[in-house]
Amino acid sequence: MEELELFDQLAEGVSDAASGSASLTEFFIRFILNFLVVGTLIHCFYYPKSKRRDYYFTFMLVNVSIFVLIFLLGGVKIKVGFALGIFAIFGIIRYRTETLPVREMTYLFTITALSVINALAPCSWTLLIIDVVLLLVTWVLESEKWLEHTSCKLVMYDKIDLVVPEKYNEMLEDLKKRTGLEIVRVEVGHIDFLKDAAMLKIYYDAPDRQVNSVNRLTKFPKEE
């Protein structure tokens, strides 16, 4: 009897070791796949236009952290709703030091979704196809071959005598000369006759095709 019990304990130990080894192997496979997909998404699609190293660092670290967290908690049968709730936390906190622009929030949500998918979805060709499809969709939306990109900027304009429709071309030429931008069209917004100023939204072709995160600012941030 004692020999049988010893044999059973030895068998259970071997089984646990094999299970732990398999789990560790699965972790590294999923981690490498997730890291490559998200690395491609950030390095090839996001960074070339934004050149924001701080967001590069944030996205990569958030992705790795969420992936490890979801993979480890996957053993306790958590629901996907709880996993996606992590993104809701980011939405509430909103990185209080700085409000994230829409483009950065979109990438953050996509990266969070990829972390959850790569950590919980069964390892199969379907998982690889999902990752590839997300990369292709991002490439299509970011590519200028499919969609033309026009940057916009809010401008406080002091020559309100030129904002009338009859002098549109004259105002356009004046803005081109003063800003040095290749402006394609102008929209006139709020007009303040007391201050002799008007709020304009100008659309232009950016030569470097980079995304400027401060284009929509209408005033200087308050100094603390």
Side-chain angles (χ1 to χ4, degrees):
M1 293 294 293
E2 293 180 358
E3 293 179 355
L4 290 176
E5 291 179 0
L6 182 61
F7 179 78
D8 291 339
Q9 293 177 0
L10 181 61
E12 290 178 2
V14 173
S15 178
D16 293 340
S19 177
S21 177
S23 178
L24 189 61
T25 302
E26 181 183 0
F27 169 79
F28 280 113
I29 293 175
R30 288 176 179 271
F31 180 83
I32 293 173
L33 175 62
N34 176 71
F35 192 83
L36 289 176
V37 172
V38 174
T40 302
L41 185 73
I42 298 174
H43 189 76
C44 298
F45 301 142
Y46 171 76
Y47 186 73
K49 288 187 177 181
S50 65
K51 300 297 182 182
R52 293 293 301 269
R53 186 178 181 275
D54 51 347
Y55 282 130
Y56 192 115
F57 167 81
T58 300
F59 290 157
M60 292 300 297
L61 198 57
V62 166
N63 172 258
V64 172
S65 301
I66 293 179
F67 172 83
V68 173
L69 178 63
I70 297 303
F71 183 85
L72 294 178
L73 293 180
V76 295
K77 306 298 183 183
I78 64 170
K79 295 182 179 180
V80 177
F82 174 77
L84 293 178
I86 297 176
F87 180 77
I89 296 176
F90 294 133
I92 296 173
I93 297 176
R94 291 180 66 84
Y95 285 81
R96 290 295 181 181
T97 55
E98 179 182 359
T99 301
L100 293 179
V102 175
R103 185 168 182 264
E104 276 68 19
M105 285 293 292
T106 303
Y107 269 97
L108 182 59
F109 178 80
T110 304
I111 290 167
T112 303
L114 283 171
S115 303
V116 176
I117 292 172
N118 289 324
L120 293 180
C123 284
S124 63
W125 285 105
T126 304
L127 178 60
L128 182 59
I129 292 174
I130 291 174
D131 288 335
V132 172
V133 167
L134 283 173
L135 288 177
L136 288 176
V137 170
T138 306
W139 173 73
V140 170
L141 296 177
E142 286 281 16
S143 177
E144 297 175 3
K145 297 179 180 179
W146 303 94
L147 297 172
E148 294 183 359
H149 175 70
T150 301
S151 300
C152 64
K153 187 186 296 291
L154 293 177
V155 176
M156 290 294 295
Y157 193 57
D158 56 345
K159 297 182 179 180
I160 60 173
D161 58 313
L162 298 181
V163 300
V164 295
E166 294 79 8
K167 297 184 178 181
Y168 175 82
N169 291 331
E170 187 177 347
M171 176 183 64
L172 187 62
E173 292 300 322
D174 180 61
L175 287 170
K176 288 181 179 180
K177 181 179 179 180
R178 298 172 68 178
T179 62
L181 300 174
E182 190 60 35
I183 302 173
V184 294
R185 76 176 191 275
V186 179
E187 295 179 357
V188 180
H190 176 73
I191 300 176
D192 192 334
F193 289 103
L194 296 178
K195 297 181 179 179
D196 288 335
M199 178 66 70
L200 307 180
K201 179 181 283 188
I202 61 175
Y203 295 87
Y204 63 97
D205 292 329
D208 52 5
R209 303 301 181 186
Q210 292 186 8
V211 177
N212 192 337
S213 60
V214 299
N215 270 345
R216 295 180 180 273
L217 292 181
T218 60
K219 59 182 179 181
F220 290 106
K222 294 181 180 180
E223 295 183 358
E224 298 182 355

